[in-house]
Amino acid sequence: LVCLGSLSKPLQGDYIGAKSNNKILSIISKHEEKEVLFADTIVKINRKCKLQERILLLTERSLYNIDPVTCKAKRRIGLLDISCVKMSGLQDNFFVICVPTEYDYLFVSSKKIEICLQLRRQYQYVHSGQVLPIEFKNTLEYKVESGVYRDVKFTSEDGGVSTQVFDKRDEEVVIFGKVPKPIYDVIISTSDVTEITLKL
């Protein structure tokens, strides 16, 4: 089971040198922010179930989705606008950031526990002590866009975790491959369905 209270390694926070990246610092300075609490390249599952590499950046007041190629912000979410984080209790790397006033994010990262710890810690600080809810379920609902919802279903199987994404009409949208241990390198491949193939 996932435990948010324990990590074998200290929290590094900045894995991509964002604190010394002038383009990234320029993005956050426009919103009068200057602290980089977490930064790493992760995978975003977009509304078309396409896999997109993104920089996830946490500052003192916001969460940013940044294009790693252009180094331009695709979206900025105020921490006060996040309602909860969702993840399964299994050994996978998927998690959902819920933003009720807009739409949610489905992300994949081997550092999801550190992301949630850092996010929860800063959320509590800006929210005057209120704790960010973390939901653990093996079926997670998330909002793709206004009025459109999907379910992410996690099933424990021999050798790993099967992760499937369904729309609310119960039509299978995409299947993600078994995850025997945390993802270190994500390679996109295409067959009858879109899959995440792992290079460990």
Side-chain angles (χ1 to χ4, degrees), residues 108-124:
V108 188
S109 172
S110 62
K111 301 181 182 70
K112 76 171 185 179
I113 301 302
E114 178 174 349
I115 293 168
C116 290
L117 282 171
Q118 297 272 30
L119 181 58
R120 199 179 203 198
R121 182 181 297 166
Q122 193 60 22
Y123 179 95
Q124 189 171 8

Side-chain angles (χ1 to χ4, degrees), residues 11-176:
L11 305 184
Q12 180 175 325
D14 184 4
Y15 292 88
I16 59 170
K19 293 178 181 178
S20 58
N21 185 312
N22 289 332
K23 290 184 178 180
I24 289 178
L25 295 177
S26 175
I27 290 171
I28 66 176
S29 68
K30 292 177 182 177
H31 302 281
E32 299 182 348
E33 297 171 352
K34 58 182 180 180
E35 295 183 43
V36 175
L37 304 176
F38 180 88
D40 194 25
T41 302
I42 66 171
V43 171
K44 180 182 78 120
I45 314 298
N46 73 11
R47 68 190 65 189
K48 296 180 180 180
C49 281
K50 300 291 185 181
L51 310 184
Q52 297 177 318
E53 202 172 65
R54 290 286 185 262
I55 293 172
L56 185 67
L57 179 75
L58 173 65
T59 68
E60 62 265 41
R61 294 198 310 272
S62 307
L63 193 66
Y64 291 82
N65 164 21
I66 297 175
D67 187 315
V69 177
T70 63
C71 211
K72 292 183 178 179
K74 306 292 288 185
R75 185 183 182 191
R76 173 181 176 265
I77 303 169
L79 297 187
L80 297 178
D81 295 324
I82 298 173
S83 64
C84 69
V85 176
K86 298 178 180 180
M87 65 179 72
S88 81
L90 302 176
Q91 297 277 341
D92 62 88
N93 295 305
F94 292 77
F95 65 102
V96 175
I97 302 288
C98 297
V99 187
T101 57
E102 299 178 26
Y103 57 91
D104 303 337
Y105 268 146
L106 176 59
F107 287 128
V108 188
S109 172
S110 62
K111 301 181 182 70
K112 76 171 185 179
I113 301 302
E114 178 174 349
I115 293 168
C116 290
L117 282 171
Q118 297 272 30
L119 181 58
R120 199 179 203 198
R121 182 181 297 166
Q122 193 60 22
Y123 179 95
Q124 189 171 8
Y125 178 77
V126 301
H127 239 305
S128 303
Q130 185 173 333
V131 177
L132 176 66
I134 309 289
E135 296 183 10
F136 293 93
K137 294 181 180 178
N138 290 348
T139 298
L140 308 176
E141 181 184 80
Y142 73 103
K143 181 166 69 173
V144 182
E145 55 187 336
S146 179
V148 179
Y149 293 83
R150 288 185 181 144
D151 282 338
V152 189
K153 297 184 179 181
F154 303 89
T155 306
S156 182
E157 298 185 0
D158 291 340
V161 177
S162 173
T163 306
Q164 298 174 304
V165 181
F166 299 88
D167 70 16
K168 298 303 287 185
R169 295 187 301 275
D170 293 328
E171 296 173 355
E172 187 173 329
V173 177
V174 65
I175 300 176
F176 295 101

